[in-house]
PDB file of all heavy atoms in Angstrom:
ATOM      1  N   CYS A   1     -51.269  54.567  24.225  1.00  0.00           N
ATOM      2  CA  CYS A   1     -50.465  55.783  24.460  1.00  0.00           C
ATOM      3  C   CYS A   1     -49.778  56.328  23.217  1.00  0.00           C
ATOM      4  O   CYS A   1     -48.859  57.147  23.336  1.00  0.00           O
ATOM      5  CB  CYS A   1     -49.436  55.552  25.568  1.00  0.00           C
ATOM      6  SG  CYS A   1     -50.193  55.164  27.164  1.00  0.00           S
ATOM      7  N   ASP A   2     -50.221  55.927  22.029  1.00  0.00           N
ATOM      8  CA  ASP A   2     -49.665  56.522  20.815  1.00  0.00           C
ATOM      9  C   ASP A   2     -49.961  58.018  20.770  1.00  0.00           C
ATOM     10  O   ASP A   2     -49.162  58.807  20.261  1.00  0.00           O
ATOM     11  CB  ASP A   2     -50.241  55.841  19.567  1.00  0.00           C
ATOM     12  CG  ASP A   2     -49.812  54.382  19.455  1.00  0.00           C
ATOM     13  OD1 ASP A   2     -48.786  54.015  20.070  1.00  0.00           O
ATOM     14  OD2 ASP A   2     -50.498  53.605  18.770  1.00  0.00           O
ATOM     15  N   TRP A   3     -51.120  58.420  21.288  1.00  0.00           N
ATOM     16  CA  TRP A   3     -51.498  59.834  21.288  1.00  0.00           C
ATOM     17  C   TRP A   3     -50.554  60.663  22.154  1.00  0.00           C
ATOM     18  O   TRP A   3     -50.319  61.843  21.874  1.00  0.00           O
ATOM     19  CB  TRP A   3     -52.945  59.993  21.775  1.00  0.00           C
ATOM     20  CG  TRP A   3     -53.167  59.604  23.213  1.00  0.00           C
ATOM     21  CD1 TRP A   3     -53.292  58.336  23.704  1.00  0.00           C
ATOM     22  CD2 TRP A   3     -53.284  60.486  24.329  1.00  0.00           C
ATOM     23  NE1 TRP A   3     -53.472  58.370  25.055  1.00  0.00           N
ATOM     24  CE2 TRP A   3     -53.481  59.669  25.473  1.00  0.00           C
ATOM     25  CE3 TRP A   3     -53.245  61.867  24.474  1.00  0.00           C
ATOM     26  CZ2 TRP A   3     -53.635  60.210  26.746  1.00  0.00           C
ATOM     27  CZ3 TRP A   3     -53.411  62.409  25.752  1.00  0.00           C
ATOM     28  CH2 TRP A   3     -53.594  61.581  26.861  1.00  0.00           C
ATOM     29  N   VAL A   4     -49.994  60.036  23.194  1.00  0.00           N
ATOM     30  CA  VAL A   4     -49.030  60.741  24.036  1.00  0.00           C
ATOM     31  C   VAL A   4     -47.750  60.990  23.248  1.00  0.00           C
ATOM     32  O   VAL A   4     -47.168  62.079  23.299  1.00  0.00           O
ATOM     33  CB  VAL A   4     -48.744  59.956  25.327  1.00  0.00           C
ATOM     34  CG1 VAL A   4     -47.760  60.724  26.202  1.00  0.00           C
ATOM     35  CG2 VAL A   4     -50.034  59.686  26.096  1.00  0.00           C
ATOM     36  N   ASP A   5     -47.304  59.987  22.509  1.00  0.00           N
ATOM     37  CA  ASP A   5     -46.124  60.158  21.659  1.00  0.00           C
ATOM     38  C   ASP A   5     -46.356  61.246  20.609  1.00  0.00           C
ATOM     39  O   ASP A   5     -45.426  61.970  20.240  1.00  0.00           O
ATOM     40  CB  ASP A   5     -45.763  58.843  20.963  1.00  0.00           C
ATOM     41  CG  ASP A   5     -45.036  57.878  21.895  1.00  0.00           C
ATOM     42  OD1 ASP A   5     -44.277  58.350  22.761  1.00  0.00           O
ATOM     43  OD2 ASP A   5     -45.249  56.661  21.760  1.00  0.00           O
ATOM     44  N   ARG A   6     -47.613  61.373  20.152  1.00  0.00           N
ATOM     45  CA  ARG A   6     -47.930  62.384  19.133  1.00  0.00           C
ATOM     46  C   ARG A   6     -48.209  63.756  19.750  1.00  0.00           C
ATOM     47  O   ARG A   6     -48.508  64.700  19.048  1.00  0.00           O
ATOM     48  CB  ARG A   6     -49.134  61.932  18.295  1.00  0.00           C
ATOM     49  CG  ARG A   6     -48.886  60.687  17.462  1.00  0.00           C
ATOM     50  CD  ARG A   6     -49.999  60.478  16.447  1.00  0.00           C
ATOM     51  NE  ARG A   6     -51.298  60.273  17.080  1.00  0.00           N
ATOM     52  CZ  ARG A   6     -51.819  59.084  17.377  1.00  0.00           C
ATOM     53  NH1 ARG A   6     -51.126  57.976  17.093  1.00  0.00           N
ATOM     54  NH2 ARG A   6     -53.001  58.984  17.940  1.00  0.00           N
ATOM     55  N   ARG A   7     -48.153  63.840  21.085  1.00  0.00           N
ATOM     56  CA  ARG A   7     -48.355  65.097  21.823  1.00  0.00           C
ATOM     57  C   ARG A   7     -49.738  65.684  21.575  1.00  0.00           C
ATOM     58  O   ARG A   7     -49.904  66.881  21.352  1.00  0.00           O
ATOM     59  CB  ARG A   7     -47.270  66.110  21.442  1.00  0.00           C
ATOM     60  CG  ARG A   7     -45.864  65.596  21.708  1.00  0.00           C
ATOM     61  CD  ARG A   7     -44.816  66.489  21.106  1.00  0.00           C
ATOM     62  NE  ARG A   7     -43.478  65.922  21.279  1.00  0.00           N
ATOM     63  CZ  ARG A   7     -42.375  66.446  20.762  1.00  0.00           C
ATOM     64  NH1 ARG A   7     -42.435  67.539  20.047  1.00  0.00           N
ATOM     65  NH2 ARG A   7     -41.215  65.877  20.977  1.00  0.00           N
ATOM     66  N   GLU A   8     -50.725  64.820  21.645  1.00  0.00           N
ATOM     67  CA  GLU A   8     -52.106  65.238  21.406  1.00  0.00           C
ATOM     68  C   GLU A   8     -52.855  65.453  22.723  1.00  0.00           C
ATOM     69  O   GLU A   8     -52.299  65.299  23.805  1.00  0.00           O
ATOM     70  CB  GLU A   8     -52.808  64.199  20.528  1.00  0.00           C
ATOM     71  CG  GLU A   8     -52.204  64.113  19.137  1.00  0.00           C
ATOM     72  CD  GLU A   8     -52.827  63.041  18.265  1.00  0.00           C
ATOM     73  OE1 GLU A   8     -53.652  62.255  18.775  1.00  0.00           O
ATOM     74  OE2 GLU A   8     -52.476  62.997  17.064  1.00  0.00           O
ATOM     75  N   ILE A   9     -54.125  65.811  22.594  1.00  0.00           N
ATOM     76  CA  ILE A   9     -54.976  66.165  23.732  1.00  0.00           C
ATOM     77  C   ILE A   9     -56.119  65.161  23.856  1.00  0.00           C
ATOM     78  O   ILE A   9     -56.658  64.694  22.848  1.00  0.00           O
ATOM     79  CB  ILE A   9     -55.584  67.576  23.552  1.00  0.00           C
ATOM     80  CG1 ILE A   9     -54.496  68.607  23.245  1.00  0.00           C
ATOM     81  CG2 ILE A   9     -56.406  67.981  24.770  1.00  0.00           C
ATOM     82  CD1 ILE A   9     -53.558  68.897  24.372  1.00  0.00           C
ATOM     83  N   VAL A  10     -56.494  64.838  25.085  1.00  0.00           N
ATOM     84  CA  VAL A  10     -57.722  64.072  25.341  1.00  0.00           C
ATOM     85  C   VAL A  10     -58.551  64.867  26.346  1.00  0.00           C
ATOM     86  O   VAL A  10     -58.032  65.336  27.360  1.00  0.00           O
ATOM     87  CB  VAL A  10     -57.426  62.665  25.899  1.00  0.00           C
ATOM     88  CG1 VAL A  10     -58.713  62.005  26.397  1.00  0.00           C
ATOM     89  CG2 VAL A  10     -56.778  61.790  24.831  1.00  0.00           C
ATOM     90  N   ILE A  11     -59.823  65.028  26.042  1.00  0.00           N
ATOM     91  CA  ILE A  11     -60.737  65.729  26.951  1.00  0.00           C
ATOM     92  C   ILE A  11     -61.921  64.818  27.226  1.00  0.00           C
ATOM     93  O   ILE A  11     -62.586  64.350  26.297  1.00  0.00           O
ATOM     94  CB  ILE A  11     -61.219  67.066  26.358  1.00  0.00           C
ATOM     95  CG1 ILE A  11     -60.027  67.973  26.055  1.00  0.00           C
ATOM     96  CG2 ILE A  11     -62.181  67.766  27.323  1.00  0.00           C
ATOM     97  CD1 ILE A  11     -60.410  69.302  25.402  1.00  0.00           C
ATOM     98  N   ALA A  12     -62.180  64.558  28.509  1.00  0.00           N
ATOM     99  CA  ALA A  12     -63.330  63.744  28.919  1.00  0.00           C
ATOM    100  C   ALA A  12     -64.391  64.681  29.485  1.00  0.00           C
ATOM    101  O   ALA A  12     -64.139  65.417  30.449  1.00  0.00           O
ATOM    102  CB  ALA A  12     -62.918  62.714  29.961  1.00  0.00           C
ATOM    103  N   LEU A  13     -65.575  64.655  28.897  1.00  0.00           N
ATOM    104  CA  LEU A  13     -66.661  65.536  29.300  1.00  0.00           C
ATOM    105  C   LEU A  13     -67.851  64.729  29.798  1.00  0.00           C
ATOM    106  O   LEU A  13     -68.222  63.724  29.194  1.00  0.00           O
ATOM    107  CB  LEU A  13     -67.116  66.408  28.113  1.00  0.00           C
ATOM    108  CG  LEU A  13     -66.068  67.343  27.483  1.00  0.00           C
ATOM    109  CD1 LEU A  13     -66.664  68.017  26.252  1.00  0.00           C
ATOM    110  CD2 LEU A  13     -65.607  68.379  28.484  1.00  0.00           C
ATOM    111  N   GLY A  14     -68.447  65.172  30.891  1.00  0.00           N
ATOM    112  CA  GLY A  14     -69.629  64.494  31.413  1.00  0.00           C
ATOM    113  C   GLY A  14     -69.947  64.960  32.813  1.00  0.00           C
ATOM    114  O   GLY A  14     -69.099  65.569  33.477  1.00  0.00           O
ATOM    115  N   PRO A  15     -71.143  64.701  33.281  1.00  0.00           N
ATOM    116  CA  PRO A  15     -71.523  65.132  34.632  1.00  0.00           C
ATOM    117  C   PRO A  15     -70.732  64.409  35.708  1.00  0.00           C
ATOM    118  O   PRO A  15     -70.057  63.408  35.448  1.00  0.00           O
ATOM    119  CB  PRO A  15     -73.012  64.798  34.696  1.00  0.00           C
ATOM    120  CG  PRO A  15     -73.219  63.732  33.669  1.00  0.00           C
ATOM    121  CD  PRO A  15     -72.238  64.005  32.584  1.00  0.00           C
ATOM    122  N   SER A  16     -70.844  64.908  36.899  1.00  0.00           N
ATOM    123  CA  SER A  16     -70.123  64.326  38.030  1.00  0.00           C
ATOM    124  C   SER A  16     -70.539  62.876  38.261  1.00  0.00           C
ATOM    125  O   SER A  16     -71.718  62.524  38.150  1.00  0.00           O
ATOM    126  CB  SER A  16     -70.405  65.149  39.288  1.00  0.00           C
ATOM    127  OG  SER A  16     -69.738  64.598  40.399  1.00  0.00           O
ATOM    128  N   GLY A  17     -69.556  62.042  38.564  1.00  0.00           N
ATOM    129  CA  GLY A  17     -69.842  60.657  38.926  1.00  0.00           C
ATOM    130  C   GLY A  17     -69.877  59.679  37.786  1.00  0.00           C
ATOM    131  O   GLY A  17     -70.209  58.503  37.974  1.00  0.00           O
ATOM    132  N   THR A  18     -69.507  60.102  36.569  1.00  0.00           N
ATOM    133  CA  THR A  18     -69.603  59.197  35.421  1.00  0.00           C
ATOM    134  C   THR A  18     -68.290  58.481  35.099  1.00  0.00           C
ATOM    135  O   THR A  18     -68.181  57.833  34.056  1.00  0.00           O
ATOM    136  CB  THR A  18     -70.097  59.965  34.172  1.00  0.00           C
ATOM    137  OG1 THR A  18     -69.278  61.128  33.979  1.00  0.00           O
ATOM    138  CG2 THR A  18     -71.547  60.382  34.348  1.00  0.00           C
ATOM    139  N   GLY A  19     -67.289  58.622  35.963  1.00  0.00           N
ATOM    140  CA  GLY A  19     -66.064  57.845  35.793  1.00  0.00           C
ATOM    141  C   GLY A  19     -64.950  58.547  35.041  1.00  0.00           C
ATOM    142  O   GLY A  19     -63.979  57.903  34.626  1.00  0.00           O
ATOM    143  N   LYS A  20     -65.051  59.858  34.885  1.00  0.00           N
ATOM    144  CA  LYS A  20     -64.011  60.592  34.138  1.00  0.00           C
ATOM    145  C   LYS A  20     -62.647  60.465  34.813  1.00  0.00           C
ATOM    146  O   LYS A  20     -61.635  60.227  34.148  1.00  0.00           O
ATOM    147  CB  LYS A  20     -64.401  62.073  34.026  1.00  0.00           C
ATOM    148  CG  LYS A  20     -65.700  62.331  33.281  1.00  0.00           C
ATOM    149  CD  LYS A  20     -65.990  63.805  33.132  1.00  0.00           C
ATOM    150  CE  LYS A  20     -66.123  64.534  34.458  1.00  0.00           C
ATOM    151  NZ  LYS A  20     -67.242  64.035  35.273  1.00  0.00           N
ATOM    152  N   THR A  21     -62.631  60.614  36.132  1.00  0.00           N
ATOM    153  CA  THR A  21     -61.370  60.520  36.861  1.00  0.00           C
ATOM    154  C   THR A  21     -60.793  59.117  36.759  1.00  0.00           C
ATOM    155  O   THR A  21     -59.581  58.943  36.603  1.00  0.00           O
ATOM    156  CB  THR A  21     -61.556  60.921  38.334  1.00  0.00           C
ATOM    157  OG1 THR A  21     -62.006  62.277  38.400  1.00  0.00           O
ATOM    158  CG2 THR A  21     -60.260  60.791  39.112  1.00  0.00           C
ATOM    159  N   HIS A  22     -61.654  58.103  36.840  1.00  0.00           N
ATOM    160  CA  HIS A  22     -61.193  56.717  36.734  1.00  0.00           C
ATOM    161  C   HIS A  22     -60.516  56.486  35.384  1.00  0.00           C
ATOM    162  O   HIS A  22     -59.430  55.886  35.312  1.00  0.00           O
ATOM    163  CB  HIS A  22     -62.381  55.763  36.917  1.00  0.00           C
ATOM    164  CG  HIS A  22     -61.980  54.321  37.049  1.00  0.00           C
ATOM    165  ND1 HIS A  22     -62.695  53.407  37.786  1.00  0.00           N
ATOM    166  CD2 HIS A  22     -60.943  53.619  36.522  1.00  0.00           C
ATOM    167  CE1 HIS A  22     -62.118  52.223  37.717  1.00  0.00           C
ATOM    168  NE2 HIS A  22     -61.055  52.329  36.943  1.00  0.00           N
ATOM    169  N   VAL A  23     -61.136  56.953  34.322  1.00  0.00           N
ATOM    170  CA  VAL A  23     -60.546  56.790  32.987  1.00  0.00           C
ATOM    171  C   VAL A  23     -59.222  57.537  32.897  1.00  0.00           C
ATOM    172  O   VAL A  23     -58.234  57.031  32.349  1.00  0.00           O
ATOM    173  CB  VAL A  23     -61.529  57.270  31.901  1.00  0.00           C
ATOM    174  CG1 VAL A  23     -60.839  57.350  30.543  1.00  0.00           C
ATOM    175  CG2 VAL A  23     -62.726  56.327  31.821  1.00  0.00           C
ATOM    176  N   ALA A  24     -59.174  58.750  33.461  1.00  0.00           N
ATOM    177  CA  ALA A  24     -57.934  59.528  33.450  1.00  0.00           C
ATOM    178  C   ALA A  24     -56.825  58.801  34.212  1.00  0.00           C
ATOM    179  O   ALA A  24     -55.673  58.742  33.762  1.00  0.00           O
ATOM    180  CB  ALA A  24     -58.178  60.907  34.052  1.00  0.00           C
ATOM    181  N   LEU A  25     -57.175  58.236  35.359  1.00  0.00           N
ATOM    182  CA  LEU A  25     -56.197  57.476  36.140  1.00  0.00           C
ATOM    183  C   LEU A  25     -55.727  56.242  35.375  1.00  0.00           C
ATOM    184  O   LEU A  25     -54.539  55.901  35.392  1.00  0.00           O
ATOM    185  CB  LEU A  25     -56.801  57.064  37.484  1.00  0.00           C
ATOM    186  CG  LEU A  25     -57.031  58.182  38.508  1.00  0.00           C
ATOM    187  CD1 LEU A  25     -57.879  57.679  39.670  1.00  0.00           C
ATOM    188  CD2 LEU A  25     -55.695  58.717  39.020  1.00  0.00           C
ATOM    189  N   GLY A  26     -56.658  55.574  34.718  1.00  0.00           N
ATOM    190  CA  GLY A  26     -56.300  54.385  33.944  1.00  0.00           C
ATOM    191  C   GLY A  26     -55.362  54.705  32.794  1.00  0.00           C
ATOM    192  O   GLY A  26     -54.392  53.976  32.556  1.00  0.00           O
ATOM    193  N   LEU A  27     -55.619  55.808  32.089  1.00  0.00           N
ATOM    194  CA  LEU A  27     -54.741  56.199  30.986  1.00  0.00           C
ATOM    195  C   LEU A  27     -53.391  56.677  31.513  1.00  0.00           C
ATOM    196  O   LEU A  27     -52.349  56.429  30.895  1.00  0.00           O
ATOM    197  CB  LEU A  27     -55.414  57.291  30.148  1.00  0.00           C
ATOM    198  CG  LEU A  27     -56.665  56.845  29.375  1.00  0.00           C
ATOM    199  CD1 LEU A  27     -57.263  58.025  28.621  1.00  0.00           C
ATOM    200  CD2 LEU A  27     -56.328  55.713  28.406  1.00  0.00           C
ATOM    201  N   GLY A  28     -53.403  57.354  32.660  1.00  0.00           N
ATOM    202  CA  GLY A  28     -52.148  57.786  33.276  1.00  0.00           C
ATOM    203  C   GLY A  28     -51.306  56.598  33.710  1.00  0.00           C
ATOM    204  O   GLY A  28     -50.080  56.582  33.510  1.00  0.00           O
ATOM    205  N   LEU A  29     -51.946  55.597  34.283  1.00  0.00           N
ATOM    206  CA  LEU A  29     -51.237  54.380  34.703  1.00  0.00           C
ATOM    207  C   LEU A  29     -50.651  53.661  33.497  1.00  0.00           C
ATOM    208  O   LEU A  29     -49.501  53.194  33.540  1.00  0.00           O
ATOM    209  CB  LEU A  29     -52.203  53.469  35.455  1.00  0.00           C
ATOM    210  CG  LEU A  29     -51.630  52.150  35.985  1.00  0.00           C
ATOM    211  CD1 LEU A  29     -50.525  52.415  37.011  1.00  0.00           C
ATOM    212  CD2 LEU A  29     -52.744  51.302  36.621  1.00  0.00           C
ATOM    213  N   ALA A  30     -51.414  53.588  32.415  1.00  0.00           N
ATOM    214  CA  ALA A  30     -50.923  52.945  31.199  1.00  0.00           C
ATOM    215  C   ALA A  30     -49.680  53.663  30.667  1.00  0.00           C
ATOM    216  O   ALA A  30     -48.726  53.027  30.219  1.00  0.00           O
ATOM    217  CB  ALA A  30     -52.018  52.919  30.137  1.00  0.00           C
TER     218      ALA A  30
END
């Protein structure tokens, strides 16, 4: 979460079903 402290952006790109939401949830939980 250093990137959050630096106020940066993360963008996950990929077709449906490749786990983008899971990764987003995992980073949000962290």
Side-chain angles (χ1 to χ4, degrees):
C1 298
D2 294 338
W3 65 281
V4 181
D5 282 326
R6 295 192 298 267
R7 302 170 185 175
E8 295 177 353
I9 308 292
V10 169
I11 301 177
L13 300 175
S16 179
T18 52
K20 299 183 300 298
T21 299
H22 189 149
V23 169
L25 289 169
L27 293 178
L29 181 62

